[in-house]
Amino acid sequence: MRGRIEDNQRVTLSPVDPRDVQVDDIVLVRWRGGVLLHLVKRATAEQLLIGNNVGRINGWAPRRDVVGRVVHVHPLTT
């Protein structure tokens, strides 16, 4: 997610009620047998369109697959 979160950059996640997730939230979501940390691009009552910060769209994920929401992005350390 170049620009918002870089590879290997630490984040703090918080539990979230999937119904409270909104467009522009960054969420950890179950995706194809793993998990992804991605940006919510669009939202319906039942699904979230997830993608990255540079225009790539992964697809629609059910809200029930949200694991948590990013509440803090930690500075990169060298």
Side-chain angles (χ1 to χ4, degrees), residues 1 3-6 11-14 16 21-29 36-41 48 50-53 66-73:
M1 292 187 53
R4 287 199 186 189
I5 301 171
E6 301 297 334
V11 298
T12 300
L13 295 170
S14 177
V16 63
V21 173
Q22 300 176 19
V23 172
D24 289 331
D25 284 346
I26 300 170
V27 293
L28 184 67
V29 63
L36 287 177
L37 189 65
H38 263 322
L39 181 64
V40 176
K41 300 291 207 164
L48 303 168
I50 59 170
N52 65 22
N53 199 42
V66 171
V67 177
R69 177 170 43 199
V70 171
V71 294
H72 183 72
V73 179

